[in-house]
Amino acid sequence: MGADKKTGDPDERLSYEQARAELAAVVERLEAGGTSLEESLALWERGERLAEVCQRWLDGARERIDATRRAREDSVTS
């Protein structure tokens, strides 16, 4: 995710926890209803962007775990 932070997109500066918390708040607002169609669409779009940020963080974490496992396996077999 580090390279993505250079894009200037403020969402890219969110930590996983920040993005997840905001995404949860968006979902709560959508589930509560009572918003106009336009506001609901804007919330949905925001939620999609936040979900992408979370997924990038999770993908990065998976890559780090996989790299650590590979390094450990290489050191054991060497």
Side-chain angles (χ1 to χ4, degrees):
M1 177 124 174
D4 293 337
K5 289 184 178 186
K6 295 179 183 176
T7 64
D9 182 356
D11 289 341
E12 296 303 325
R13 290 190 286 271
L14 293 173
S15 69
Y16 172 78
E17 292 78 9
Q18 290 169 322
R20 187 190 63 204
E22 188 177 342
L23 178 57
V26 165
V27 169
E28 284 180 26
R29 286 189 62 196
L30 285 169
E31 288 178 342
T35 58
S36 68
L37 177 59
E38 191 62 34
E39 186 176 1
S40 293
L41 287 172
L43 286 168
W44 179 268
E45 291 168 346
R46 179 70 181 145
E48 288 290 324
R49 287 191 306 274
L50 291 165
E52 289 172 5
V53 170
C54 288
Q55 190 60 56
R56 281 192 292 275
W57 275 108
L58 293 171
D59 290 346
R62 170 55 60 195
E63 289 173 14
R64 288 176 61 190
I65 290 168
D66 291 345
T68 300
R69 284 182 175 165
R70 281 191 303 274
R72 186 178 58 207
E73 289 170 1
D74 290 346
S75 69
V76 169
T77 59
S78 297

